[in-house]
Every structure is written in structure tokens, then in C-alpha cells.
Amino acid sequence: MNDRMEATGLCGSTIYSPFGGKKLFALALKEYRRVTTENIAMISRPGDVRTSLRRLRLSIVADELSLREGFGCFAANSSLEVSGRDPELSALVAQPFERLEAGLLRPLKRGQKAGKIPADKDCRMLARYIVAVIQGIRVVSKGLLETSCQPYLESIVEAAIKSL
């Protein structure tokens, strides 16, 4: 959008206005459900929950490494830019995080039943923690030097797995 504003000399509201302004952004957030759905599918496969969680987080790291020249995660960026300013949009921005949290509960509970996650752990709390780690990876990756980014992010993944 910044490129369009710079190229046309128009401000954001002028560009958004013909498309319904906030409605266009809301539609884009709803379309972004696909990414969350893919992540939930990745962790819902049968197998060891820790392996699934490691796979998911390493996939996020790979995304961030491939997007270093791009814009990054739409949900994370929207959360940083929009949340708190508009209740309707804030609710939409929260949806990908809520969906991922709900999607994490099933494999975490499955892992608890299999003895891979301690029985005294609160699976909802763990799901929220994992969502926060994923979003932290997405945000922190933007400020790291390219040469140190991958090992740094992978160390976060391993620390989060060990914390379970």
C-alpha cells in the first residue's frame, strides 16, 4: 500500500475509500484464514506433538527467512498496526491468533494423553504461549542481521520445545 501511495501521491484513505475502507482490510484479514488453516493442519497430523510443534515453528522460521525482503506476516503486522484503535478491526485481527490457539489445543491434549506433555500443564496456557512464541519469532526476525537470523530463531524454537 505504501508503494501505491508513493506512486500515486494519494493518501491511504483516498485509495481505500472507493473499496469500502475498513471493509477492504476486513476482507483481507478474513482471506488470511488460509494461512492459519494450513498451520493448524500441520500440527494436527498424527504423530508426536513435540515433533509437530517443532515442524510448525521451523516452518514459521523458514517463512520469515524467505520473507526478509517482503512484508512478513499479515496477522502480526496487523496486530502491531491496528489493534486497540478500532474495536471491530481489533476483533478481526485477534481471530487468526484465536484460531491457532484453538487448533493447538487438540494436539497438546493428545500429547498429554500420550505422556509427552506433563499432566499438570494447562494446555490452553501452553497454546497461548506457543502462539506468542510464533508471533515473537515473526516480529524479532525483522530486526536481526541476516547472518545471525536463522540460528537465533532456531534457538527460540528449541527453547520453546524444551519448555513444554
Side-chain angles (χ1 to χ4, degrees):
M1 184 52 101
N2 289 336
D3 291 341
R4 287 182 180 89
M5 291 184 331
E6 187 176 312
T8 62
L10 300 172
C11 67
S13 62
T14 303
I15 294 173
Y16 280 125
S17 178
F19 300 103
K22 190 165 46 171
K23 292 177 186 174
L24 178 64
F25 182 70
L27 285 172
L29 279 170
K30 287 176 184 175
E31 176 61 26
Y32 194 71
R33 289 177 64 98
R34 177 188 50 78
V35 174
T36 308
T37 301
E38 290 170 3
N39 287 339
I40 292 169
M42 186 182 305
I43 57 173
S44 296
R45 295 181 189 133
D48 178 64
V49 67
R50 289 174 186 265
T51 301
S52 295
L53 291 171
R54 180 178 281 111
R55 186 181 321 118
L56 171 64
R57 290 181 186 143
L58 289 175
S59 169
I60 301 294
V61 169
D63 283 351
E64 291 307 312
L65 293 173
S66 70
L67 295 172
R68 288 194 60 82
E69 299 300 321
F71 298 107
C73 173
F74 186 54
N77 292 342
S78 297
S79 178
L80 294 169
E81 293 293 326
V82 174
S83 288
R85 294 183 188 163
D86 179 302
E88 182 184 347
L89 290 180
S90 293
L92 284 172
V93 169
Q95 287 179 359
F97 307 129
E98 292 165 353
R99 288 187 71 237
L100 185 55
E101 176 187 327
L104 285 162
L105 278 173
R106 288 182 298 277
L108 286 169
K109 288 180 180 180
R110 187 180 72 232
Q112 242 177 2
K113 286 180 185 173
K116 301 292 183 177
I117 304 287
D120 65 336
K121 296 279 186 172
D122 178 333
C123 288
R124 182 162 306 279
M125 178 194 66
L126 288 175
R128 289 177 179 165
Y129 167 71
I130 293 165
V131 170
V133 169
I134 288 169
Q135 294 313 309
I137 286 170
R138 292 198 181 280
V139 172
V140 168
S141 71
K142 301 304 178 218
L144 298 173
L145 295 173
E146 192 168 341
T147 55
S148 64
C149 191
Q150 185 170 354
Y152 188 97
L153 297 179
E154 287 176 356
S155 73
I156 293 170
V157 170
E158 293 310 314
I161 293 296
K162 287 178 183 176
S163 72
L164 295 177

